[in-house]
């Protein structure tokens, strides 16, 4: 696979055989981010759990201290006063059956997060097959099925992210933009990792944090020593 000169220059800054401390790794992520746009920084955490078992699921949501650098578009599915409350809180789209029909009929997905009031979940359930695979299905664990729509919208706009295992037992999450600098990225990284460690299922046996890597959109992956995170 052909890689551009910028990528090749970035790779030279990294020792592929080394596992870095978080602060050092995030400093390198900023240095190896050479694209013309502000690259997103993502972490990839492999856990020693089996996501096929219900008692080994790892999922939750956390507000990053410095946000993600991107303002999420929020769809709120609610009626009456709660719909008005969502609009006042700054939700981008608000509706009920009409929005469900729009998603089903028009294949419309111009939003990043879906919040729903509990009374709407019967209707939202119809969207399980399309929202589920995209990771957009509202859930009480992520705080996106709630009567407090104001709090939900405010937190999402402030930089709340959801973390969840994929089928290969890896969590992929954005922790900000390269322009944040190493210090802010480190604060976001520490907040997210603390939440993932706290969410360790009782049924998980052996080493919980198997591997951690961090990378910018166009940059190379940098390995982080899991021992330095669980300290």
């Amino acid at each position: 696979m052909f890689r551009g000169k910028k990528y090749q220059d970035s790779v030279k800054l990294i020792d592929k055989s080394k596992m870095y401390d978080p602060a050092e790794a995030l400093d390198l992520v900023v240095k190896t981010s050479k694209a013309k746009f502000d690259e997103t920084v993502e972490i990839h955490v492999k856990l020693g759990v089996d996501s096929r078992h219900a008692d080994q699921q790892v999922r939750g949501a956390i507000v990053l201290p410095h946000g993600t650098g991107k303002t999420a578009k929020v769809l709120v599915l609610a009626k009456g006063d709660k719909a008005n409350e969502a609009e006042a809180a700054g939700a981008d789209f608000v509706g009920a059956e009409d929005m469900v029909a729009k998603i089903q009929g028009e294949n419309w997905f111009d939003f990043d997060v879906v919040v729903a009031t509990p009374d709407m979940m019967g209707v939202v359930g119809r969207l399980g097959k399309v929202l589920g695979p995209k990771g957009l299905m509202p859930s009480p664990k992520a705080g996106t099925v709630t009567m407090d729509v104001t709090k939900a919208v405010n937190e999402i706009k402030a930089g709340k992210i959801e973390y969840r295992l994929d089928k290969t037992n890896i969590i992929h999450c954005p922790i900000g933009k390269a322009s944040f600098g190493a210090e802010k990225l480190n604060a976001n990284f520490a907040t997210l990792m603390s939440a993932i460690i706290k969410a360790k299922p009782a049924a998980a046996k052996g080493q919980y944090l198997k591997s951690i890597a961090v990378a910018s959109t166009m940059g190379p992956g940098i390995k982080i020593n899991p021992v330095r995170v669980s300290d």
Side-chain angles (χ1 to χ4, degrees), residues 44-60:
H44 311 277
V45 186
K46 186 166 181 68
L47 297 179
V49 295
D50 187 343
S51 62
R52 290 172 301 180
H53 299 293
D55 62 354
Q56 292 189 43
Q57 284 297 323
V58 179
R59 181 178 185 178

Side-chain angles (χ1 to χ4, degrees), residues 154-170:
N154 287 341
E155 284 188 345
I156 293 160
K157 292 287 185 185
K160 184 179 191 177
I161 57 162
E162 190 181 348
Y163 57 87
R164 58 190 298 185
L165 281 178
D166 69 5
K167 285 181 180 142
T168 59
N169 305 315
I170 298 174

Side-chain angles (χ1 to χ4, degrees), residues 83-135:
N84 297 336
E85 193 185 311
E87 282 177 1
D92 300 272
F93 310 101
V94 182
E97 282 85 356
D98 56 329
M99 286 296 182
V100 173
K102 187 176 169 75
I103 293 166
Q104 285 179 315
E106 299 174 26
N107 204 24
W108 174 73
F109 292 104
D110 190 23
F111 48 86
D112 304 300
V113 186
V114 184
V115 174
T117 50
D119 57 307
M120 286 299 298
M121 286 311 287
V123 181
V124 179
R126 294 180 216 156
L127 296 171
K129 281 189 177 154
V130 288
L131 294 183
K134 292 178 184 288

Side-chain angles (χ1 to χ4, degrees), residues 10-218:
S10 295
V11 169
K12 288 175 192 162
L13 298 172
I14 297 160
D15 179 353
K16 283 284 184 191
S17 64
K18 183 177 173 183
M19 286 204 209
Y20 291 91
D21 281 357
E24 204 179 352
L26 292 162
D27 190 42
L28 277 169
V29 160
V30 173
K31 284 179 179 157
T32 57
S33 168
K34 296 178 186 285
K36 288 198 171 91
F37 61 93
D38 192 6
E39 296 179 52
T40 296
V41 176
E42 275 209 356
I43 67 166
H44 311 277
V45 186
K46 186 166 181 68
L47 297 179
V49 295
D50 187 343
S51 62
R52 290 172 301 180
H53 299 293
D55 62 354
Q56 292 189 43
Q57 284 297 323
V58 179
R59 181 178 185 178
I62 189 90
V63 178
L64 297 175
H66 300 289
T68 60
K70 177 189 178 213
T71 305
K73 283 188 192 171
V74 185
L75 163 63
V76 177
L77 299 170
K79 291 178 174 175
D81 290 345
K82 288 293 161 188
N84 297 336
E85 193 185 311
E87 282 177 1
D92 300 272
F93 310 101
V94 182
E97 282 85 356
D98 56 329
M99 286 296 182
V100 173
K102 187 176 169 75
I103 293 166
Q104 285 179 315
E106 299 174 26
N107 204 24
W108 174 73
F109 292 104
D110 190 23
F111 48 86
D112 304 300
V113 186
V114 184
V115 174
T117 50
D119 57 307
M120 286 299 298
M121 286 311 287
V123 181
V124 179
R126 294 180 216 156
L127 296 171
K129 281 189 177 154
V130 288
L131 294 183
K134 292 178 184 288
L136 290 168
M137 194 67 182
S139 91
K141 262 196 172 172
T144 45
V145 176
T146 177
M147 287 302 282
D148 195 345
V149 291
T150 300
K151 181 185 175 196
V153 172
N154 287 341
E155 284 188 345
I156 293 160
K157 292 287 185 185
K160 184 179 191 177
I161 57 162
E162 190 181 348
Y163 57 87
R164 58 190 298 185
L165 281 178
D166 69 5
K167 285 181 180 142
T168 59
N169 305 315
I170 298 174
I171 289 172
H172 309 272
C173 265
I175 55 164
K177 297 282 188 182
S179 62
F180 282 20
E183 201 174 314
K184 285 182 179 176
L185 287 170
N186 204 7
N188 280 357
F189 171 85
T191 301
L192 176 60
M193 287 310 304
S194 171
I196 291 171
I197 290 165
K198 276 196 192 121
K200 180 181 179 178
K205 299 285 179 270
Q207 188 184 355
Y208 180 54
L209 298 178
K210 289 271 191 188
S211 68
I212 304 167
V214 62
S216 60
T217 310
M218 307 294 285

